[in-house]
């Protein structure tokens, strides 16, 4: 695969061509996906557009090894979950593809990493293994040229002093924070830092009562005096992410696409602006499955942006980046 071509997609024609090539590759080389397509009795030769490609139910990442035949994983990412809940596993055949994907997307949305101080307040993620988010943040910190880039577990005073220092220096700063930890922090500290980028990653984990996204973001905006709270749309089963600059509206890089399916007819796509279940195309997922039917609810707008509205009632709540709405 010419990865430079994938990460430099410019238009729908190029996207469709690579989607179809990826689809045929995965039908041939990824046994679980091949079995699923066969089960649906799809006539492969009739699939001439990405909207006709079957999407693999994300639940299969919990019970099946989804990886290209004859490949061994270089690393395994696992989803978070409460005790007793079966978690998803993403067997990553080539870690350099993940690195290329998140580095390219991050620079597309936020600029060169060497100019940005990366701070992370992610106690729940650091206290487990297999987090794709922690892998990404570790890499971003290593490529940041700012000495203040670091993790902060429960040492809120140190984080506060670091933020004051970075504000005084005028350094572009991005703070990744799990929801409950950010709320804990603002109960003791307030800081007017309107240039600060706060990337809220979701997750209460039973630490606090559940709150809707708008309420959480309003509290954080007032405490830091920032215009909006950023978010990432990513998950264990993907190697690419979408980003929101605020108001819960996400955009994705050009090698990723969001489609909406009918909630009571999973093989039929819904129209724009109609609420339905989210399907994700992630062309970085070449060596597992690039076409995934998630358990998330959302809608797409005419400009290609999308909104995440919650989860199916019967699905497990996982520590992705989604809040109970």
């Amino acid at each position: 695969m010419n990865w430079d071509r994938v990460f430099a997609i410019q238009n729908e024609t190029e996207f469709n061509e690579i989607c179809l090539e990826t689809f045929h590759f995965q039908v041939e080389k990824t046994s679980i996906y091949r079995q699923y397509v066969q089960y649906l009795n799809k006539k492969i030769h009739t699939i001439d557009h990405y909207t006709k490609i079957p999407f693999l139910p994300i639940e299969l990442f919990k019970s099946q090894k989804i990886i290209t035949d004859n490949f061994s994983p270089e690393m395994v990412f696992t989803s978070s979950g409460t005790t007793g809940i079966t978690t998803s596993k993403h067997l990553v055949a080539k870690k350099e593809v993940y690195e290329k994907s998140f580095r390219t997307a991050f620079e597309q949305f936020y600029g060169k990493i060497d100019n940005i101080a990366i701070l992370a307040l992610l106690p729940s993620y650091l206290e487990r293994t297999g987090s794709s988010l922690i892998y990404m943040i570790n890499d971003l910190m290593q490529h940041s040229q700012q000495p203040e880039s670091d993790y902060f577990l429960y040492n809120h005073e140190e984080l506060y002093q670091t933020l004051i220092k970075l504000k005084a220096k005028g350094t572009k700063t991005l703070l990744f924070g799990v929801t409950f930890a950010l709320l804990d922090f603002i109960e003791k500290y307030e800081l007017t830092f309107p240039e600060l980028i706060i990337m809220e990653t979701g997750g209460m984990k039973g630490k606090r009562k559940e709150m809707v996204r708008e309420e959480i973001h309003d509290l954080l905006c007032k405490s830091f005096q920032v215009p909006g709270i950023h978010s990432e749309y990513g998950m264990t089963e993907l190697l690419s992410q979408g980003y929101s600059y605020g108001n819960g509206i996400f955009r994705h890089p050009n090698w990723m696409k969001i489609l909406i399916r009918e909630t009571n007819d999973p093989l039929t796509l819904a129209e724009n602006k109609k609420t339905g279940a989210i399907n994700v195309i992630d062309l970085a997922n070449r060596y597992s499955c690039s076409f995934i039917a998630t358990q998330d609810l959302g809608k797409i707008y005419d400009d290609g942006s999308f909104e995440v509205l919650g989860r199916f009632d019967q699905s497990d709540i996982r520590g992705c980046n989604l809040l109970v709405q």
Side-chain angles (χ1 to χ4, degrees), residues 30-77:
T30 304
S31 57
I32 296 299
Y33 187 59
R34 178 171 62 251
Q35 292 172 37
Y36 179 68
V37 173
Q38 291 171 346
Y39 175 79
L40 294 177
N41 199 28
K42 284 287 184 179
K43 294 180 172 59
I44 295 175
H45 69 276
T46 66
I47 296 176
D48 57 3
H49 195 267
Y50 64 79
T51 54
K52 300 179 182 179
I53 292 174
F55 286 78
L56 187 74
I58 200 169
E59 297 92 329
L60 291 176
F61 280 84
K62 294 181 177 181
S63 60
Q64 306 296 324
K65 294 182 178 179
I66 302 174
I67 190 170
T68 302
D69 299 342
N70 301 318
F71 271 68
S72 296
E74 293 186 353
M75 57 187 180
V76 179
F77 291 135

Side-chain angles (χ1 to χ4, degrees), residues 115 164-173 193 195:
N115 298 322
I164 290 175
K165 179 180 178 181
L166 288 166
K167 178 187 176 184
K169 291 173 61 177
T171 302
K172 186 174 181 180
T173 303
F193 193 168
E195 299 80 17

